[in-house]
Amino acid sequence: MSKLQNVWVFSDNASRLPELITGAKELGEQVSALVLGNQQQVDHALALGAHKVYHLGEKPAERIVEDYADTLVQILKEAGERSLVLMAATRRGKALAAKLGNRLDAAVFNDACEIRSEADAIIAKHMVYGGLALGEEKLSSNIALVTLASGTFEPASEGDAQGETLTLSYVEPKAAIKCIERRAKEGEGVDLSRAKRVVGVGSGIASLENLKQAEALAGLLGAEMGCSRPIAETEKWMERERYIGVSGVMLKPDLYLAVGISGQIQHMVGVNGAQTIIAINKDKNAPIFQYADYGLIGDTTKVIPALVEALKG
């Protein structure tokens, strides 16, 4: 693999920065972090191994992340050499990548799960056909913008901060989006991609009462709760951030306990990085048992309460 002279990283979600920096270290000789936040976040980027941190300042409440496109264009154009920009595959990250791609005439690649640098191009892969296959593309533009799926790289650990900090002045966009109102999202934010244990629930959970039993089980196991798409988007029993699958969260836990989940490929691609998969389902022919390390055939409404009682004892 041919290394780039410099790789840029940017994340609107601070928790995703460590893995972006790991990826940048593997792909480039130097890591330049674009940080939007306070001094603590600047220091964090330096401690993770960034050689240079370009501080964008703290974002005012009325400003959206995409409004920093012109500010980033300015520094990326000045860089000159062939460049790669790694970003978190969040909604804001993808929207910003699209704007940057338009202004820089740069290739944009979303949800990359594999990436490498060659002498004349960036090669990236992502899931296609609902997770049934991997699609590979060659990015030959001078600047390539890639949003990384969660879990693509192991997060970097903090060490001694030895890089330098530079301040970037904000460039006001010609047509900024005005924020009229902000409303807090229901439920607490969670980053399932970093959880070591996850209990995932599917349609087989049947009711909100049974969901509460599964939550009790997760609490006893020290696990986070996740779900299949119908639970988040049809029933709306859990927030969208907990949906696991090809268009949701990708997991790499030590343990994944699937409760009432049939095991369709769109869901299983989200958990194929799990060290151990345990499945509970009353249908002995459910596809989930083809993936599970351990399987229990039984009614979740009876099995889960029994497990809760056993763990309490």
Side-chain angles (χ1 to χ4, degrees):
M1 183 175 71
S2 174
K3 276 199 170 187
L4 295 164
Q5 183 178 341
N6 184 47
V7 177
W8 301 82
V9 296
F10 174 84
S11 179
D12 62 299
N13 182 340
S15 68
R16 294 291 309 279
L17 187 61
E19 62 180 294
L20 292 176
I21 287 184
T22 296
K25 286 179 178 178
E26 289 189 16
L27 296 164
E29 300 290 348
Q30 178 174 282
V31 179
S32 295
L34 299 153
V35 174
L36 180 60
N38 56 28
Q39 186 60 44
Q40 183 178 0
Q41 289 167 300
V42 170
D43 294 339
H44 180 52
L46 290 169
L48 289 170
H51 299 96
K52 288 185 179 181
V53 172
Y54 293 83
H55 191 199
L56 304 171
E58 295 189 55
K59 185 177 75 65
E62 69 277 5
R63 190 180 296 165
I64 65 172
V65 172
E66 295 94 302
D67 281 345
Y68 286 86
D70 290 332
T71 306
L72 300 187
V73 164
Q74 178 179 263
I75 189 64
L76 291 172
K77 277 186 174 180
E78 289 176 1
E81 74 275 0
R82 188 165 71 91
S83 301
L84 169 65
V85 184
L86 294 180
M87 306 171 71
T90 62
R91 292 182 182 179
R92 297 269 74 86
K94 291 178 183 179
L96 178 59
K99 280 197 169 189
L100 291 173
N102 176 265
R103 285 161 172 72
L104 295 166
D105 193 24
V108 178
F109 188 92
N110 285 318
D111 299 306
C113 59
E114 292 182 32
I115 182 171
R116 69 181 188 273
S117 173
E118 294 189 348
D120 60 342
I122 300 297
I123 310 298
K125 294 182 180 181
H126 60 183
M127 293 178 185
V128 294
Y129 304 124
L132 292 173
L134 285 176
E136 180 178 283
E137 293 186 27
K138 183 177 182 179
L139 313 179
S140 301
S141 57
N142 190 50
I143 299 176
L145 298 144
V146 177
T147 65
L148 287 180
S150 179
T152 303
F153 294 101
E154 288 296 322
S157 299
E158 287 195 356
D160 294 331
Q162 298 180 348
E164 63 175 313
T165 303
L166 301 95
T167 301
L168 287 182
S169 299
Y170 178 67
V171 178
E172 190 76 35
K174 293 180 180 178
I177 296 174
K178 185 178 181 181
C179 179
I180 303 299
E181 181 184 4
R182 286 185 179 272
R183 298 180 183 178
K185 292 180 66 174
E186 294 183 4
E188 297 180 1
V190 62
D191 186 359
L192 281 184
S193 66
R194 304 181 71 182
K196 293 300 182 182
R197 297 178 181 179
V198 177
V199 173
V201 296
S203 299
I205 205 73
S207 69
L208 276 172
E209 182 179 349
N210 295 330
L211 177 60
K212 291 178 181 178
Q213 287 287 333
E215 289 172 345
L217 177 60
L220 290 168
L221 292 172
E224 287 285 357
M225 286 289 294
C227 64
S228 61
R229 187 169 188 167
I231 297 298
E233 297 193 348
T234 303
E235 301 295 346
K236 299 188 184 303
W237 287 346
M238 297 178 72
E239 55 265 39
R240 181 65 174 72
E241 287 78 7
R242 295 184 185 271
Y243 156 44
I244 302 163
V246 67
S247 55
V249 183
M250 310 296 282
L251 305 181
K252 284 189 177 180
D254 294 333
L255 171 68
Y256 179 61
L257 174 58
V259 180
I261 289 176
S262 63
Q264 297 302 317
I265 187 65
Q266 290 84 357
H267 178 82
M268 297 312 299
V269 295
V271 298
N272 61 11
Q275 293 295 312
T276 302
I277 298 176
I278 301 174
I280 302 173
N281 200 295
K282 65 181 179 180
D283 180 6
K284 66 179 182 180
N285 296 315
I288 187 72
F289 291 122
Q290 298 175 26
Y291 302 93
D293 297 287
Y294 302 94
L296 194 160
I297 300 170
D299 187 338
T300 58
T301 63
K302 297 178 180 179
V303 173
I304 300 305
L307 288 174
V308 168
E309 289 303 314
L311 289 171
K312 282 182 178 178

